[in-house]
Amino acid sequence: MSDALIMDRVTKSFGDVVAVDELSLRVPSGCIYGVLGPNGAGKTTALRMIVGILEPDSGSVSVLGLADAAAVRQRIGYLPEEKGLYKKMRVGAMVAYAGELKGMPKKAAHENAIHLLNVYGLGDWVTKRCEALSKGMSQKAMLLSTMIHDPDLVILDEPFSGLDPVNTEIMRDVIVNMRRQGKTVLFSTHVMEQAEQICDAIVLIHRGRKVLDGPLASVLDAGGTAVQLDYDGDGEPLKELRGVSRVNDAGKHAELILDSGTDPQDVLAQVVGKVRVRRFDLREPSLHEVFVRAVKEDASGE
Amino acid sequence: MANRVALVARREYLENLGTKGFWLGLLVFPVILIASIAVPFLFSKSAGRRTYTVIDGSGWLGAAVQERILTQEFTTLLRATIRIEESGDSSAYALPDSMVELAVAVKPLSDDHRARVAGALAGSDAAVEALDSALDSYVKELVLSARAEAQSWYRSLTAKQAKRIDDGLDATRYAYVAPPDRPAAVDELNRQIADGRLFAYFVIGPDPVTGSDGTRYVSKNLTDTSLRDWYAWRASEVVRERRIERQGLTSEIAGWLSAPLSFVGEVVGSGGATSAAKASDKLRQWAPAIFVYILWVSVFSSAQMLLMNTVEEKSNRVLEVLLSSVSSLELMSGKILGMAATGLTIVGAWVAFFYATTMALPRFFVGMPDLGLAQIASDPVYLLLFLCYYIFGYFLYAALLVAIGSVCSTHKEAQNLMTPIVLALILPLLTLTPITRDPNGTLARILSFIPTFTPFVMMNRSAGPPEVWEYVVTTVELMLSVVVAFWAAGRVFRVGVLMTGKPPSLREIVRWARASGGRRQINAL
């Protein structure tokens, strides 16, 4: 089995609003797949349809080779963006409950819950109430609840939102670790840098429609050449560089998108006279650039 | 499916057991029950006798009223003494021997004759002389020899002793003391009232037969009118007889003219035969009303608890996590069942407590009339009806409230949306008394067929009882409504739990419930 998930021309609207419009995608088994898009692009609706919380108006969703998400529920783990724990429940019981709902026998669920909590450093909290957990710890507990039943496909909706750097790293490790165990991880985010760091493949969604998708490397390669520039000084003159089609200037860092045929040496020479260069790195454009460009093309193509 | 519903229900149930609301709910009824039975009882037991005195401006009425009171008391005493003597152990009551002897002698006499004997005991020699010739001289002699002892014994009787002999004795509640024999009696009495040594005093005007001029009742406590009413009633009796006498009629005719008719209450049993009404019969008529009230409280509080708990879980964002494991219908059913189990636990504990209490009460409170509470509490008809109507009524309201809970993010929003339901729920309480009085009336019948009222109204009517077809039709109707409510609630719940932000209006909710599965409105995408 090569595809963990296939969506075929899936459409979903709420009243007059088309949240997901003819979305088709394939997620190969065993990869980390990013669903990218700005807020309100329809990512959450798409994920909810995959998990079976919402029914598509038209089109089909096939998860782990089956058309009915409910039938494979026990092999899916889902962590919504808006998530919480039963405040009064003990942490161990809470995680185990998630496992039991996925069909695990009571004993196995409890043993596994305690095992996972120990592995992820929450061993001391097993018998404490969930309301006693700090925000980072409860995020972790919720993540463990989604993976207690050893699912084949894990779906995470904005898993990084609201996390501090330490917890972001833990989340990233967990995701990478799941791939190592052969699981498929599908997550949504509106932060392109995170996707760039860990995704094997991505889909970009804008206004409910797929803008582009594919393995990360090929998506980025198609974007042409760009320069990642770290600098000090006023970035304003960068916009007047010859041979540069666009500048994504963040103040200390700028991404220069080169016209095809432009010699990077020529650009470097121009830059040196204008700002103080700390790093000049020739590479493919960032996902951010790819996304912005794709959305623009999408808009002009209408 | 069933397994996941059971899992959700079990979790809900266990969590509910840990809440304060559960334990409060469990305790509130026993506390109210004990309080409502024990407090008035203990209060009446502990309340001291009201001491009073009379300043008699007429010179005759005060004494006449005292004689009247004493006559009444001796009538009761003779009856009580006969009862005590029959039960064998008269020594425990400190009754004078002469009283016991007299009681034995009057046992075969009619009530009327006994009243005359009591009057003679209470009154002067003339009253003894006036005893009917039908009474033999032995009784007359007994009265003469017993009179002085009986009167002084009665005056020394304490409230506690009186209560043991007979609860109905006025001596348990009121005690007469002689007024001070001084010109400044009023000042002295006012001081005594201020000190609390005296409860009240009566002042009788110079000519009570003509009118109430100068007649007064003086006390610190004007809210408790029982003493005033009690004394005024007896004084009026005497005055009325005197007024009739003035019209040239004999005192016998006067007494007969003013004697009230008394109707003895009887109830018709199932066989058509009548029997004397007991306190328990009256209670039995009212038992359904009590059941309705408990039903109402339990249905409403469980459904309300479910609403609050749904809102809380929704605002905690816990529900969507579960939705990838269970369908929204499973989740909703599990929650409703879990709360039903909680409610049944509470109600079961109540019934058990009620039963145990009514069994144990007579042991703790000696002298309480047997109200047959235990029989009512354990009446299988009432219990079965109660259980059925609790379950159906709860399901109906739970479905409505869980749907409301699912669309709200805060308790305040939930309260607003609940207002119409609360208003509708008040009706069964308002009709409680009218339906109890007329269980098969038009109002009761019409309300029976409105599903949201069926459980309460039919429970209320059960003493009637309604006809079998009414039970069948209303129950079928109620069950269908439960199914429809579940179905509609399921649709609203499915949309509602994923929704954030402002709650929809009632009209929008109704539209969701009607809309086909595919086209639903969600504010948050």
Side-chain angles (χ1 to χ4, degrees), chain A residues 58-273:
Chain A
S58 64
S60 68
V61 181
S62 148
V63 184
L64 299 170
L66 285 167
D68 182 9
V72 287
R73 236 181 223 158
Q74 303 193 355
R75 293 165 60 199
I76 304 179
Y78 170 62
L79 187 64
E81 180 181 6
E82 300 278 8
K83 50 198 172 276
L85 300 164
Y86 283 114
K87 283 196 219 157
K88 299 286 176 197
M89 250 179 134
R90 316 265 168 201
V91 178
M94 175 81 225
V95 177
Y97 176 59
E100 283 185 69
L101 282 180
K102 290 290 189 185
M104 291 177 85
K106 193 173 178 182
K107 192 159 172 273
H110 279 262
E111 282 169 3
N112 208 12
I114 291 169
H115 168 74
L116 281 176
L117 286 166
N118 276 318
V119 168
Y120 285 92
L122 290 176
D124 294 342
W125 297 83
V126 171
T127 56
K128 301 247 167 62
R129 294 191 192 276
C130 290
E131 60 192 349
L133 295 174
S134 71
K135 194 174 174 209
M137 287 191 285
S138 57
Q139 294 261 13
K140 217 190 269 181
M142 281 182 269
L143 185 63
L144 298 181
S145 310
T146 52
M147 48 192 267
I148 179 171
H149 58 297
D150 198 22
D152 297 323
L153 172 64
V154 178
I155 293 164
L156 310 170
D157 195 357
E158 297 280 359
F160 296 102
S161 77
L163 294 187
D164 64 16
V166 176
N167 283 305
T168 303
E169 200 165 314
I170 292 172
M171 179 62 77
R172 209 164 48 211
D173 290 348
V174 171
I175 292 174
V176 172
N177 214 11
M178 286 199 264
R179 177 179 57 185
R180 206 168 289 145
Q181 292 166 13
K183 301 181 199 309
T184 311
V185 182
L186 184 129
F187 74 91
S188 72
T189 182
H190 61 276
V191 184
M192 303 298 158
E193 289 74 14
Q194 279 158 353
E196 224 171 331
Q197 286 169 5
I198 58 171
C199 285
D200 298 312
I202 58 149
V203 61
L204 280 176
I205 302 181
H206 182 59
R207 289 191 191 157
R209 278 205 300 245
K210 178 169 82 179
V211 178
L212 55 87
D213 67 343
L216 186 67
S218 63
V219 168
L220 293 178
D221 268 350
T225 328
V227 167
Q228 305 297 330
L229 176 72
D230 289 355
Y231 69 94
D232 291 323
D234 180 13
E236 202 54 34
L238 295 175
K239 291 183 180 152
E240 288 145 25
L241 297 175
R242 269 174 289 111
V244 172
S245 59
R246 266 170 49 76
V247 177
N248 299 318
D249 187 7
K252 289 280 184 188
H253 171 92
E255 179 177 35
L256 313 177
I257 313 300
L258 307 191
D259 291 334
S260 57
T262 304
D263 184 359
Q265 287 299 325
D266 179 34
V267 176
L268 177 61
Q270 293 180 65
V271 169
V272 166

Side-chain angles (χ1 to χ4, degrees), chain A residues 12 14-15 17 48 51 53-54 57 73 78 80 82-87 89 97 100-102, chain B residues 4 7-8 10-11 313 316-318 320-327 330 498 518-520 522 525:
Chain A
K12 175 80 189 171
F14 302 108
V17 184
R48 282 176 176 171
V51 184
I53 294 177
L54 291 176
D57 295 342
R73 236 181 223 158
Y78 170 62
E82 300 278 8
K83 50 198 172 276
L85 300 164
Y86 283 114
K87 283 196 219 157
M89 250 179 134
Y97 176 59
E100 283 185 69
L101 282 180
K102 290 290 189 185
Chain B
R4 283 191 293 268
L7 273 172
V8 174
R10 193 191 66 192
R11 200 210 71 81
E313 284 175 14
N316 273 353
R317 318 282 185 199
V318 105
E320 195 182 346
V321 182
L322 304 181
L323 282 181
S324 66
S325 307
V326 297
S327 73
E330 287 167 346
L498 294 178
R519 300 189 59 79
R520 290 183 304 261
I522 301 186
L525 302 183

Side-chain angles (χ1 to χ4, degrees), chain B residues 487-502:
Chain B
W487 173 83
R491 297 185 144 213
V492 174
F493 189 83
R494 190 157 58 156
V495 183
V497 285
L498 294 178
M499 203 199 74
T500 54
K502 196 173 83 64

